[in-house]
Amino acid sequence: MTVNGTRYDRDVEPRTLLVHFLREELGLTGTHVGCDTSYCGACTVIVDGRSVKSCTYLAVAADGADVRTVEGVAVDGTLHPVQEGFWERHGLQCGFCTPGMIMSSVALLEQNPAPGEGEIRHAIEGNLCRCTGYHNIVRAVEYAAAKMRGEEPPAPDWEVPS
Amino acid sequence: MYPRKFDYTAPRTIADAVAALAGDEGAKVMAGGMSLLPLMKMRLLSPATIVDIGRIDGLDRIEDRGDHIAVGALVRHAETAASDLVQTHAPALARAASLTGDVQVRNKGTTCGSLAHADIAADQTAAVIALGATMVATGPGGTREIAAADFFVDTLTSALAPDEILTEVRIPKGGSGSAYDKLGRRGGRSDYAVAGAAAWVDKTNGSITAARVAVTGVGTKPMLVEAVGAALVGTDGSPEAIAAAAEHATEGVTLLEDLYGSEEYKAHLAKVYAARALTEALGG
């Protein structure tokens, strides 16, 4: 399969899950294992353009596929607008869900460059954040969407005490 | 969590897939794997062989066949939900597919896979029953057709034989409308259905000439509740007629209490959602 633009040829046991292949075989540990039951979305990667849960995906079924992980979204050390949005709008606290949130958000913005707040919330329905950080995650995606459209991102919705 | 060890085969034709199933009692079909793999990881199920049908050409289509539309075995929930054909001729199925799982699940899981899995709280099961769909099973002896209302036999049990594959579901065109709605386990419409109902109606000259309602989540299997449709036929489809018909929503249903509600609560929800689905199917 191709992962973040690099082709890898490996023999795997049929039961090897894509997330374990990425983490243990290729050393790409940015993709996290959270609930391991296909609920939490921490393991989200993009396979052939579609966001999927790599904990519920046989690596062998991704034979020949184009896989993108969180390690592949920044280009030459420059953060992807979605990563920048999470930074600028405090879209993370502990950071565990963040790789999955970023991949779901990247997939959303590739399909819908101008999502409304409801569409953003619907798009990250399959990603759980236990720091209860959804509000700022939505703001982070709005920031990224504006940047990717070449527009000025909306101002942060917090006030800095004077 | 790793599943137990298994052999894996990815045949390129339906015939080869059926042969692989027929020759191996411990074999299971996998399309998207969104139902099968979690069971295997929790070791509730440990098939000896996975027959991955994901590389068979021609199963990933939604086709217009004149008097019906056909949804192939590899059509993903997201594709069913977004399809103009399904939205036009089977809005209940498009809606149910859009409410199945979450984005990532809908990107990988398949409509036919969910139907074959026959979960008691799945969404599209109720939709295909209400729409009067026909399930096409392909086995060693060729294909056979099974009415959707007869397909769901019991909890997690369909009418498919172990060596049969659900290769497509056919939904007849016609009727004046259909709809699906549910209460999800995570509140709103998220996650599996605590209770859900699909409705299909045909209304001519102000009178209901045919109606079907199916419920999911409330009983031991998704099922057609004939009494609702029977009570609605001949009426004008008014809110009062819908409310009266929906009172029958649990007739013949073996209610099942679970973590999400008592039998009494589920019976109440079945009536509420039957009425909502009928109202929406009638354009209300």
Side-chain angles (χ1 to χ4, degrees), chain A residues 13-15 17 20 36 39 44 50-51 53 55-57 60-61 63 104 123 125-128, chain B residues 1-3 5-6 8 30 37-38 41 43 55 76 79 102-104 106-108 186 190-191:
Chain A
E13 232 192 309
R15 64 174 172 165
L17 300 164
H20 295 308
D36 214 1
Y39 262 90
T44 300
R50 294 186 288 215
S51 60
K53 292 180 174 174
C55 80
T56 310
Y57 203 126
V60 66
D63 184 14
S104 284
E125 180 187 14
N127 294 79
L128 302 185
Chain B
M1 295 187 289
Y2 274 80
K5 289 188 178 188
F6 55 85
Y8 173 88
M30 183 179 84
L37 292 174
K41 289 173 66 182
R43 307 215 171 182
R55 293 178 193 274
R76 319 259 171 201
E79 294 161 345
D102 52 44
V103 173
Q104 296 97 316
R106 290 192 292 275
N107 279 341
K108 182 142 187 290
R186 279 197 278 160
S190 285
D191 210 331

mmCIF file of all heavy atoms in Angstrom, chain A residues 13-15 17 20 36 39 44 50-51 53 55-57 60-61 63 104 123 125-128, chain B residues 1-3 5-6 8 30 37-38 41 43 55 76 79 102-104 106-108 186 190-191:
data_model
loop_
_atom_site.group_PDB
_atom_site.id
_atom_site.type_symbol
_atom_site.label_atom_id
_atom_site.label_comp_id
_atom_site.label_asym_id
_atom_site.label_seq_id
_atom_site.Cartn_x
_atom_site.Cartn_y
_atom_site.Cartn_z
ATOM 1 N N GLU A 13 0.062 -10.935 8.481
ATOM 2 C CA GLU A 13 -0.903 -11.942 8.905
ATOM 3 C C GLU A 13 -2.287 -11.412 8.576
ATOM 4 O O GLU A 13 -2.528 -10.199 8.715
ATOM 5 C CB GLU A 13 -0.798 -12.083 10.434
ATOM 6 C CG GLU A 13 -0.612 -13.493 10.944
ATOM 7 C CD GLU A 13 -0.829 -13.546 12.450
ATOM 8 O OE1 GLU A 13 -0.216 -12.735 13.158
ATOM 9 O OE2 GLU A 13 -1.602 -14.404 12.885
ATOM 10 N N PRO A 14 -3.235 -12.276 8.165
ATOM 11 C CA PRO A 14 -4.572 -11.766 7.818
ATOM 12 C C PRO A 14 -5.219 -10.953 8.935
ATOM 13 O O PRO A 14 -5.936 -10.001 8.673
ATOM 14 C CB PRO A 14 -5.371 -13.044 7.541
ATOM 15 C CG PRO A 14 -4.363 -14.043 7.110
ATOM 16 C CD PRO A 14 -3.107 -13.719 7.874
ATOM 17 N N ARG A 15 -4.959 -11.314 10.191
ATOM 18 C CA ARG A 15 -5.660 -10.628 11.273
ATOM 19 C C ARG A 15 -5.024 -9.299 11.664
ATOM 20 O O ARG A 15 -5.512 -8.628 12.580
ATOM 21 C CB ARG A 15 -5.746 -11.525 12.499
ATOM 22 C CG ARG A 15 -4.414 -11.881 13.126
ATOM 23 C CD ARG A 15 -4.672 -12.637 14.408
ATOM 24 N NE ARG A 15 -3.452 -13.176 14.985
ATOM 25 C CZ ARG A 15 -3.386 -13.613 16.239
ATOM 26 N NH1 ARG A 15 -4.453 -13.591 17.004
ATOM 27 N NH2 ARG A 15 -2.259 -14.094 16.700
ATOM 28 N N LEU A 17 -4.553 -5.652 11.949
ATOM 29 C CA LEU A 17 -5.431 -4.511 11.697
ATOM 30 C C LEU A 17 -4.604 -3.363 11.135
ATOM 31 O O LEU A 17 -3.410 -3.226 11.438
ATOM 32 C CB LEU A 17 -6.126 -4.091 12.992
ATOM 33 C CG LEU A 17 -6.997 -5.207 13.596
ATOM 34 C CD1 LEU A 17 -7.355 -4.905 15.043
ATOM 35 C CD2 LEU A 17 -8.251 -5.408 12.762
ATOM 36 N N HIS A 20 -2.566 -1.316 13.542
ATOM 37 C CA HIS A 20 -1.347 -1.959 14.047
ATOM 38 C C HIS A 20 -0.269 -2.006 12.971
ATOM 39 O O HIS A 20 0.917 -1.878 13.269
ATOM 40 C CB HIS A 20 -1.673 -3.361 14.569
ATOM 41 C CG HIS A 20 -2.574 -3.348 15.771
ATOM 42 N ND1 HIS A 20 -2.296 -2.598 16.887
ATOM 43 C CD2 HIS A 20 -3.746 -3.967 16.024
ATOM 44 C CE1 HIS A 20 -3.265 -2.766 17.782
ATOM 45 N NE2 HIS A 20 -4.157 -3.590 17.276
ATOM 46 N N ASP A 36 -10.857 0.969 20.557
ATOM 47 C CA ASP A 36 -10.617 -0.318 19.896
ATOM 48 C C ASP A 36 -11.907 -1.041 19.513
ATOM 49 O O ASP A 36 -11.900 -2.221 19.227
ATOM 50 C CB ASP A 36 -9.763 -1.223 20.801
ATOM 51 C CG ASP A 36 -8.817 -2.099 19.990
ATOM 52 O OD1 ASP A 36 -8.825 -1.986 18.747
ATOM 53 O OD2 ASP A 36 -8.093 -2.898 20.597
ATOM 54 N N TYR A 39 -15.779 2.949 17.917
ATOM 55 C CA TYR A 39 -16.636 4.048 18.351
ATOM 56 C C TYR A 39 -15.910 5.392 18.369
ATOM 57 O O TYR A 39 -16.449 6.404 17.962
ATOM 58 C CB TYR A 39 -17.181 3.778 19.763
ATOM 59 C CG TYR A 39 -18.566 3.201 19.763
ATOM 60 C CD1 TYR A 39 -18.774 1.837 19.731
ATOM 61 C CD2 TYR A 39 -19.676 4.042 19.773
ATOM 62 C CE1 TYR A 39 -20.064 1.313 19.717
ATOM 63 C CE2 TYR A 39 -20.959 3.524 19.762
ATOM 64 C CZ TYR A 39 -21.144 2.157 19.736
ATOM 65 O OH TYR A 39 -22.415 1.644 19.713
ATOM 66 N N THR A 44 -8.714 7.237 13.214
ATOM 67 C CA THR A 44 -9.173 7.618 11.875
ATOM 68 C C THR A 44 -8.012 7.941 10.939
ATOM 69 O O THR A 44 -7.115 8.719 11.273
ATOM 70 C CB THR A 44 -10.117 8.841 11.967
ATOM 71 O OG1 THR A 44 -11.229 8.499 12.778
ATOM 72 C CG2 THR A 44 -10.600 9.272 10.580
ATOM 73 N N ARG A 50 -11.385 8.480 1.632
ATOM 74 C CA ARG A 50 -12.499 8.412 2.583
ATOM 75 C C ARG A 50 -11.984 8.164 3.995
ATOM 76 O O ARG A 50 -11.112 7.306 4.196
ATOM 77 C CB ARG A 50 -13.468 7.284 2.198
ATOM 78 C CG ARG A 50 -14.193 7.539 0.880
ATOM 79 C CD ARG A 50 -15.225 6.477 0.630
ATOM 80 N NE ARG A 50 -14.600 5.198 0.283
ATOM 81 C CZ ARG A 50 -15.128 4.337 -0.581
ATOM 82 N NH1 ARG A 50 -16.279 4.601 -1.158
ATOM 83 N NH2 ARG A 50 -14.531 3.201 -0.834
ATOM 84 N N SER A 51 -12.527 8.886 4.961
ATOM 85 C CA SER A 51 -12.114 8.670 6.352
ATOM 86 C C SER A 51 -12.674 7.344 6.847
ATOM 87 O O SER A 51 -13.838 7.024 6.599
ATOM 88 C CB SER A 51 -12.603 9.817 7.235
ATOM 89 O OG SER A 51 -14.013 9.917 7.189
ATOM 90 N N LYS A 53 -12.074 4.044 10.100
ATOM 91 C CA LYS A 53 -11.500 3.701 11.399
ATOM 92 C C LYS A 53 -10.526 2.540 11.213
ATOM 93 O O LYS A 53 -10.936 1.420 10.907
ATOM 94 C CB LYS A 53 -12.632 3.369 12.375
ATOM 95 C CG LYS A 53 -13.446 4.623 12.676
ATOM 96 C CD LYS A 53 -14.588 4.448 13.618
ATOM 97 C CE LYS A 53 -15.179 5.830 13.919
ATOM 98 N NZ LYS A 53 -16.405 5.786 14.724
ATOM 99 N N CYS A 55 -8.853 0.815 13.197
ATOM 100 C CA CYS A 55 -8.891 -0.306 14.148
ATOM 101 C C CYS A 55 -9.889 -1.357 13.700
ATOM 102 O O CYS A 55 -9.957 -2.441 14.272
ATOM 103 C CB CYS A 55 -9.243 0.172 15.558
ATOM 104 S SG CYS A 55 -11.006 0.448 15.847
ATOM 105 N N THR A 56 -10.702 -1.019 12.710
ATOM 106 C CA THR A 56 -11.719 -1.947 12.231
ATOM 107 C C THR A 56 -11.533 -2.107 10.727
ATOM 108 O O THR A 56 -12.461 -1.949 9.936
ATOM 109 C CB THR A 56 -13.130 -1.430 12.594
ATOM 110 O OG1 THR A 56 -13.131 -1.098 13.983
ATOM 111 C CG2 THR A 56 -14.196 -2.480 12.350
ATOM 112 N N TYR A 57 -10.298 -2.388 10.343
ATOM 113 C CA TYR A 57 -9.935 -2.451 8.929
ATOM 114 C C TYR A 57 -8.764 -3.422 8.831
ATOM 115 O O TYR A 57 -7.705 -3.176 9.432
ATOM 116 C CB TYR A 57 -9.501 -1.057 8.467
ATOM 117 C CG TYR A 57 -9.606 -0.769 6.989
ATOM 118 C CD1 TYR A 57 -10.301 0.332 6.530
ATOM 119 C CD2 TYR A 57 -8.986 -1.601 6.043
ATOM 120 C CE1 TYR A 57 -10.392 0.626 5.168
ATOM 121 C CE2 TYR A 57 -9.074 -1.329 4.689
ATOM 122 C CZ TYR A 57 -9.777 -0.212 4.261
ATOM 123 O OH TYR A 57 -9.875 0.068 2.925
ATOM 124 N N VAL A 60 -4.740 -6.225 5.227
ATOM 125 C CA VAL A 60 -4.724 -6.912 3.935
ATOM 126 C C VAL A 60 -5.810 -6.368 2.999
ATOM 127 O O VAL A 60 -5.654 -6.369 1.776
ATOM 128 C CB VAL A 60 -4.837 -8.443 4.132
ATOM 129 C CG1 VAL A 60 -6.194 -8.821 4.705
ATOM 130 C CG2 VAL A 60 -4.566 -9.191 2.844
ATOM 131 N N ALA A 61 -6.900 -5.854 3.587
ATOM 132 C CA ALA A 61 -7.966 -5.279 2.761
ATOM 133 C C ALA A 61 -7.550 -3.926 2.185
ATOM 134 O O ALA A 61 -8.201 -3.410 1.271
ATOM 135 C CB ALA A 61 -9.249 -5.136 3.577
ATOM 136 N N ASP A 63 -4.653 -3.577 0.781
ATOM 137 C CA ASP A 63 -3.637 -3.913 -0.231
ATOM 138 C C ASP A 63 -3.865 -3.046 -1.471
ATOM 139 O O ASP A 63 -4.960 -3.040 -2.035
ATOM 140 C CB ASP A 63 -3.783 -5.405 -0.586
ATOM 141 C CG ASP A 63 -2.715 -5.865 -1.564
ATOM 142 O OD1 ASP A 63 -1.722 -5.140 -1.760
ATOM 143 O OD2 ASP A 63 -2.889 -6.959 -2.140
ATOM 144 N N SER A 104 -10.488 13.415 10.263
ATOM 145 C CA SER A 104 -11.903 13.587 9.909
ATOM 146 C C SER A 104 -12.147 14.986 9.356
ATOM 147 O O SER A 104 -12.922 15.170 8.405
ATOM 148 C CB SER A 104 -12.796 13.366 11.139
ATOM 149 O OG SER A 104 -12.910 11.996 11.420
ATOM 150 N N ALA A 123 -19.941 15.966 10.987
ATOM 151 C CA ALA A 123 -18.784 15.299 10.385
ATOM 152 C C ALA A 123 -17.852 14.693 11.427
ATOM 153 O O ALA A 123 -17.131 13.740 11.137
ATOM 154 C CB ALA A 123 -18.012 16.283 9.499
ATOM 155 N N GLU A 125 -18.985 13.453 14.260
ATOM 156 C CA GLU A 125 -19.845 12.624 15.111
ATOM 157 C C GLU A 125 -19.142 11.319 15.511
ATOM 158 O O GLU A 125 -19.369 10.778 16.584
ATOM 159 C CB GLU A 125 -21.126 12.301 14.322
ATOM 160 C CG GLU A 125 -22.137 11.457 15.028
ATOM 161 C CD GLU A 125 -23.271 11.057 14.095
ATOM 162 O OE1 GLU A 125 -23.123 11.227 12.850
ATOM 163 O OE2 GLU A 125 -24.280 10.572 14.581
ATOM 164 N N GLY A 126 -18.291 10.821 14.627
ATOM 165 C CA GLY A 126 -17.594 9.566 14.889
ATOM 166 C C GLY A 126 -16.262 9.733 15.596
ATOM 167 O O GLY A 126 -15.444 8.811 15.591
ATOM 168 N N ASN A 127 -16.020 10.891 16.161
ATOM 169 C CA ASN A 127 -14.773 11.148 16.900
ATOM 170 C C ASN A 127 -15.122 11.659 18.287
ATOM 171 O O ASN A 127 -15.770 12.701 18.422
ATOM 172 C CB ASN A 127 -13.927 12.196 16.164
ATOM 173 C CG ASN A 127 -13.425 11.696 14.832
ATOM 174 O OD1 ASN A 127 -14.171 11.674 13.856
ATOM 175 N ND2 ASN A 127 -12.184 11.272 14.787
ATOM 176 N N LEU A 128 -14.700 10.921 19.305
ATOM 177 C CA LEU A 128 -15.022 11.312 20.672
ATOM 178 C C LEU A 128 -13.841 12.038 21.311
ATOM 179 O O LEU A 128 -12.697 11.621 21.174
ATOM 180 C CB LEU A 128 -15.377 10.083 21.511
ATOM 181 C CG LEU A 128 -16.546 9.237 21.010
ATOM 182 C CD1 LEU A 128 -16.848 8.122 22.005
ATOM 183 C CD2 LEU A 128 -17.784 10.072 20.753
ATOM 184 N N MET B 1 -6.836 -4.963 20.329
ATOM 185 C CA MET B 1 -7.438 -6.293 20.354
ATOM 186 C C MET B 1 -7.295 -6.941 18.979
ATOM 187 O O MET B 1 -7.709 -6.348 17.988
ATOM 188 C CB MET B 1 -8.919 -6.195 20.696
ATOM 189 C CG MET B 1 -9.185 -5.663 22.092
ATOM 190 S SD MET B 1 -10.937 -5.750 22.503
ATOM 191 C CE MET B 1 -11.584 -4.457 21.429
ATOM 192 N N TYR B 2 -6.700 -8.101 19.002
ATOM 193 C CA TYR B 2 -6.604 -8.852 17.757
ATOM 194 C C TYR B 2 -7.691 -9.919 17.708
ATOM 195 O O TYR B 2 -7.973 -10.548 18.719
ATOM 196 C CB TYR B 2 -5.251 -9.563 17.679
ATOM 197 C CG TYR B 2 -4.145 -8.717 17.112
ATOM 198 C CD1 TYR B 2 -3.489 -7.778 17.880
ATOM 199 C CD2 TYR B 2 -3.779 -8.877 15.785
ATOM 200 C CE1 TYR B 2 -2.469 -7.008 17.350
ATOM 201 C CE2 TYR B 2 -2.761 -8.113 15.246
ATOM 202 C CZ TYR B 2 -2.108 -7.178 16.039
ATOM 203 O OH TYR B 2 -1.112 -6.426 15.502
ATOM 204 N N PRO B 3 -8.243 -10.166 16.519
ATOM 205 C CA PRO B 3 -9.112 -11.333 16.381
ATOM 206 C C PRO B 3 -8.266 -12.613 16.492
ATOM 207 O O PRO B 3 -7.041 -12.566 16.388
ATOM 208 C CB PRO B 3 -9.677 -11.213 14.962
ATOM 209 C CG PRO B 3 -9.230 -9.901 14.433
ATOM 210 C CD PRO B 3 -8.079 -9.439 15.257
ATOM 211 N N LYS B 5 -6.759 -16.060 14.975
ATOM 212 C CA LYS B 5 -6.212 -16.273 13.628
ATOM 213 C C LYS B 5 -7.287 -16.824 12.689
ATOM 214 O O LYS B 5 -8.153 -17.586 13.101
ATOM 215 C CB LYS B 5 -5.040 -17.264 13.691
ATOM 216 C CG LYS B 5 -3.811 -16.675 14.351
ATOM 217 C CD LYS B 5 -2.621 -17.602 14.231
ATOM 218 C CE LYS B 5 -1.401 -16.930 14.858
ATOM 219 N NZ LYS B 5 -0.161 -17.676 14.630
ATOM 220 N N PHE B 6 -7.187 -16.418 11.445
ATOM 221 C CA PHE B 6 -8.100 -16.952 10.422
ATOM 222 C C PHE B 6 -7.390 -16.942 9.083
ATOM 223 O O PHE B 6 -6.373 -16.257 8.910
ATOM 224 C CB PHE B 6 -9.375 -16.098 10.362
ATOM 225 C CG PHE B 6 -9.135 -14.625 10.133
ATOM 226 C CD1 PHE B 6 -8.975 -14.110 8.853
ATOM 227 C CD2 PHE B 6 -9.061 -13.738 11.211
ATOM 228 C CE1 PHE B 6 -8.742 -12.756 8.647
ATOM 229 C CE2 PHE B 6 -8.831 -12.377 11.014
ATOM 230 C CZ PHE B 6 -8.676 -11.891 9.725
ATOM 231 N N TYR B 8 -7.604 -16.056 5.034
ATOM 232 C CA TYR B 8 -8.210 -14.928 4.320
ATOM 233 C C TYR B 8 -8.170 -15.194 2.825
ATOM 234 O O TYR B 8 -7.134 -15.606 2.293
ATOM 235 C CB TYR B 8 -7.430 -13.659 4.641
ATOM 236 C CG TYR B 8 -7.832 -12.429 3.847
ATOM 237 C CD1 TYR B 8 -8.845 -11.593 4.297
ATOM 238 C CD2 TYR B 8 -7.181 -12.101 2.653
ATOM 239 C CE1 TYR B 8 -9.202 -10.462 3.591
ATOM 240 C CE2 TYR B 8 -7.542 -10.967 1.933
ATOM 241 C CZ TYR B 8 -8.553 -10.145 2.414
ATOM 242 O OH TYR B 8 -8.904 -9.032 1.702
ATOM 243 N N MET B 30 -17.200 -11.147 4.289
ATOM 244 C CA MET B 30 -16.935 -9.781 4.746
ATOM 245 C C MET B 30 -17.052 -8.829 3.559
ATOM 246 O O MET B 30 -16.463 -9.068 2.504
ATOM 247 C CB MET B 30 -15.532 -9.665 5.355
ATOM 248 C CG MET B 30 -15.249 -8.274 5.916
ATOM 249 S SD MET B 30 -13.615 -8.114 6.669
ATOM 250 C CE MET B 30 -12.616 -7.775 5.220
ATOM 251 N N LEU B 37 -15.941 -7.345 11.977
ATOM 252 C CA LEU B 37 -14.649 -7.209 12.661
ATOM 253 C C LEU B 37 -14.782 -6.882 14.158
ATOM 254 O O LEU B 37 -14.036 -7.450 14.966
ATOM 255 C CB LEU B 37 -13.763 -6.181 11.942
ATOM 256 C CG LEU B 37 -13.282 -6.623 10.551
ATOM 257 C CD1 LEU B 37 -12.530 -5.489 9.857
ATOM 258 C CD2 LEU B 37 -12.386 -7.857 10.652
ATOM 259 N N PRO B 38 -15.710 -5.993 14.565
ATOM 260 C CA PRO B 38 -15.853 -5.786 16.015
ATOM 261 C C PRO B 38 -16.206 -7.075 16.764
ATOM 262 O O PRO B 38 -15.689 -7.320 17.856
ATOM 263 C CB PRO B 38 -16.982 -4.745 16.121
ATOM 264 C CG PRO B 38 -16.888 -3.984 14.838
ATOM 265 C CD PRO B 38 -16.521 -5.020 13.800
ATOM 266 N N LYS B 41 -13.034 -9.060 17.004
ATOM 267 C CA LYS B 41 -12.060 -8.500 17.943
ATOM 268 C C LYS B 41 -12.470 -8.786 19.385
ATOM 269 O O LYS B 41 -11.619 -9.011 20.241
ATOM 270 C CB LYS B 41 -11.921 -6.993 17.710
ATOM 271 C CG LYS B 41 -11.195 -6.683 16.402
ATOM 272 C CD LYS B 41 -11.205 -5.204 16.111
ATOM 273 C CE LYS B 41 -10.399 -4.438 17.131
ATOM 274 N NZ LYS B 41 -10.450 -2.976 16.861
ATOM 275 N N ARG B 43 -13.957 -11.352 20.151
ATOM 276 C CA ARG B 43 -13.929 -12.829 20.165
ATOM 277 C C ARG B 43 -15.293 -13.431 20.475
ATOM 278 O O ARG B 43 -15.389 -14.499 21.062
ATOM 279 C CB ARG B 43 -12.844 -13.322 21.114
ATOM 280 C CG ARG B 43 -11.504 -12.670 20.764
ATOM 281 C CD ARG B 43 -10.345 -13.552 20.962
ATOM 282 N NE ARG B 43 -9.141 -12.921 20.411
ATOM 283 C CZ ARG B 43 -7.953 -13.475 20.406
ATOM 284 N NH1 ARG B 43 -7.777 -14.672 20.909
ATOM 285 N NH2 ARG B 43 -6.920 -12.867 19.866
ATOM 286 N N ARG B 55 -13.264 -7.182 -3.413
ATOM 287 C CA ARG B 55 -12.551 -7.004 -4.686
ATOM 288 C C ARG B 55 -13.297 -7.602 -5.882
ATOM 289 O O ARG B 55 -12.726 -7.782 -6.966
ATOM 290 C CB ARG B 55 -11.140 -7.591 -4.568
ATOM 291 C CG ARG B 55 -10.295 -6.787 -3.584
ATOM 292 C CD ARG B 55 -8.911 -7.311 -3.371
ATOM 293 N NE ARG B 55 -8.300 -6.664 -2.213
ATOM 294 C CZ ARG B 55 -7.646 -5.502 -2.262
ATOM 295 N NH1 ARG B 55 -7.472 -4.872 -3.399
ATOM 296 N NH2 ARG B 55 -7.140 -4.975 -1.163
ATOM 297 N N ARG B 76 -21.649 1.379 -0.236
ATOM 298 C CA ARG B 76 -21.439 1.833 1.144
ATOM 299 C C ARG B 76 -22.645 2.644 1.616
ATOM 300 O O ARG B 76 -23.346 3.250 0.807
ATOM 301 C CB ARG B 76 -20.198 2.721 1.218
ATOM 302 C CG ARG B 76 -19.046 2.222 0.387
ATOM 303 C CD ARG B 76 -18.016 1.522 1.207
ATOM 304 N NE ARG B 76 -17.034 0.862 0.339
ATOM 305 C CZ ARG B 76 -16.259 -0.130 0.724
ATOM 306 N NH1 ARG B 76 -16.366 -0.602 1.949
ATOM 307 N NH2 ARG B 76 -15.402 -0.689 -0.087
ATOM 308 N N GLU B 79 -22.810 6.016 0.197
ATOM 309 C CA GLU B 79 -23.233 6.072 -1.210
ATOM 310 C C GLU B 79 -24.749 5.889 -1.331
ATOM 311 O O GLU B 79 -25.400 6.542 -2.142
ATOM 312 C CB GLU B 79 -22.484 5.001 -2.016
ATOM 313 C CG GLU B 79 -20.982 5.287 -2.079
ATOM 314 C CD GLU B 79 -20.138 4.072 -2.436
ATOM 315 O OE1 GLU B 79 -20.635 2.923 -2.376
ATOM 316 O OE2 GLU B 79 -18.962 4.273 -2.764
ATOM 317 N N ASP B 102 -21.591 6.324 12.006
ATOM 318 C CA ASP B 102 -21.089 7.688 11.903
ATOM 319 C C ASP B 102 -20.374 7.822 10.556
ATOM 320 O O ASP B 102 -20.413 6.900 9.742
ATOM 321 C CB ASP B 102 -20.156 8.017 13.073
ATOM 322 C CG ASP B 102 -19.061 6.971 13.243
ATOM 323 O OD1 ASP B 102 -18.472 6.546 12.224
ATOM 324 O OD2 ASP B 102 -18.783 6.569 14.382
ATOM 325 N N VAL B 103 -19.725 8.944 10.312
ATOM 326 C CA VAL B 103 -19.147 9.200 8.984
ATOM 327 C C VAL B 103 -18.214 8.057 8.561
ATOM 328 O O VAL B 103 -18.324 7.523 7.449
ATOM 329 C CB VAL B 103 -18.379 10.534 8.975
ATOM 330 C CG1 VAL B 103 -17.642 10.715 7.651
ATOM 331 C CG2 VAL B 103 -19.328 11.688 9.207
ATOM 332 N N GLN B 104 -17.289 7.680 9.458
ATOM 333 C CA GLN B 104 -16.300 6.676 9.098
ATOM 334 C C GLN B 104 -16.961 5.313 8.860
ATOM 335 O O GLN B 104 -16.545 4.563 7.974
ATOM 336 C CB GLN B 104 -15.237 6.558 10.195
ATOM 337 C CG GLN B 104 -14.402 7.835 10.386
ATOM 338 C CD GLN B 104 -14.913 8.704 11.509
ATOM 339 O OE1 GLN B 104 -16.113 8.916 11.620
ATOM 340 N NE2 GLN B 104 -14.024 9.204 12.342
ATOM 341 N N ARG B 106 -20.022 4.887 7.824
ATOM 342 C CA ARG B 106 -20.762 4.974 6.551
ATOM 343 C C ARG B 106 -19.830 4.953 5.349
ATOM 344 O O ARG B 106 -20.244 4.583 4.253
ATOM 345 C CB ARG B 106 -21.619 6.253 6.534
ATOM 346 C CG ARG B 106 -22.784 6.213 7.502
ATOM 347 C CD ARG B 106 -23.769 7.349 7.265
ATOM 348 N NE ARG B 106 -23.251 8.660 7.587
ATOM 349 C CZ ARG B 106 -23.256 9.201 8.811
ATOM 350 N NH1 ARG B 106 -23.768 8.548 9.824
ATOM 351 N NH2 ARG B 106 -22.771 10.407 9.007
ATOM 352 N N ASN B 107 -18.571 5.338 5.559
ATOM 353 C CA ASN B 107 -17.610 5.305 4.454
ATOM 354 C C ASN B 107 -17.119 3.893 4.142
ATOM 355 O O ASN B 107 -16.555 3.651 3.073
ATOM 356 C CB ASN B 107 -16.387 6.163 4.796
ATOM 357 C CG ASN B 107 -16.644 7.639 4.557
ATOM 358 O OD1 ASN B 107 -17.573 8.005 3.829
ATOM 359 N ND2 ASN B 107 -15.825 8.484 5.151
ATOM 360 N N LYS B 108 -17.274 2.971 5.069
ATOM 361 C CA LYS B 108 -16.735 1.630 4.849
ATOM 362 C C LYS B 108 -17.806 0.555 4.885
ATOM 363 O O LYS B 108 -17.784 -0.392 4.099
ATOM 364 C CB LYS B 108 -15.651 1.333 5.893
ATOM 365 C CG LYS B 108 -14.988 -0.012 5.715
ATOM 366 C CD LYS B 108 -13.509 0.049 6.009
ATOM 367 C CE LYS B 108 -12.831 -1.261 5.656
ATOM 368 N NZ LYS B 108 -13.208 -2.344 6.578
ATOM 369 N N ARG B 186 -27.484 7.426 21.521
ATOM 370 C CA ARG B 186 -26.718 8.538 22.082
ATOM 371 C C ARG B 186 -27.522 9.832 22.072
ATOM 372 O O ARG B 186 -26.964 10.917 22.103
ATOM 373 C CB ARG B 186 -25.406 8.722 21.303
ATOM 374 C CG ARG B 186 -24.326 7.745 21.745
ATOM 375 C CD ARG B 186 -22.960 8.204 21.282
ATOM 376 N NE ARG B 186 -22.702 7.850 19.906
ATOM 377 C CZ ARG B 186 -21.782 8.452 19.156
ATOM 378 N NH1 ARG B 186 -21.060 9.428 19.639
ATOM 379 N NH2 ARG B 186 -21.589 8.063 17.907
ATOM 380 N N SER B 190 -28.311 9.753 16.822
ATOM 381 C CA SER B 190 -26.991 9.136 16.744
ATOM 382 C C SER B 190 -27.012 7.706 17.262
ATOM 383 O O SER B 190 -27.689 7.405 18.233
ATOM 384 C CB SER B 190 -25.990 9.931 17.590
ATOM 385 O OG SER B 190 -25.639 11.116 16.927
ATOM 386 N N ASP B 191 -26.229 6.876 16.592
ATOM 387 C CA ASP B 191 -25.989 5.501 17.049
ATOM 388 C C ASP B 191 -27.195 4.607 16.687
ATOM 389 O O ASP B 191 -28.139 5.039 16.055
ATOM 390 C CB ASP B 191 -25.723 5.500 18.563
ATOM 391 C CG ASP B 191 -24.804 4.355 18.977
ATOM 392 O OD1 ASP B 191 -24.817 3.306 18.297
ATOM 393 O OD2 ASP B 191 -24.086 4.513 19.969
#
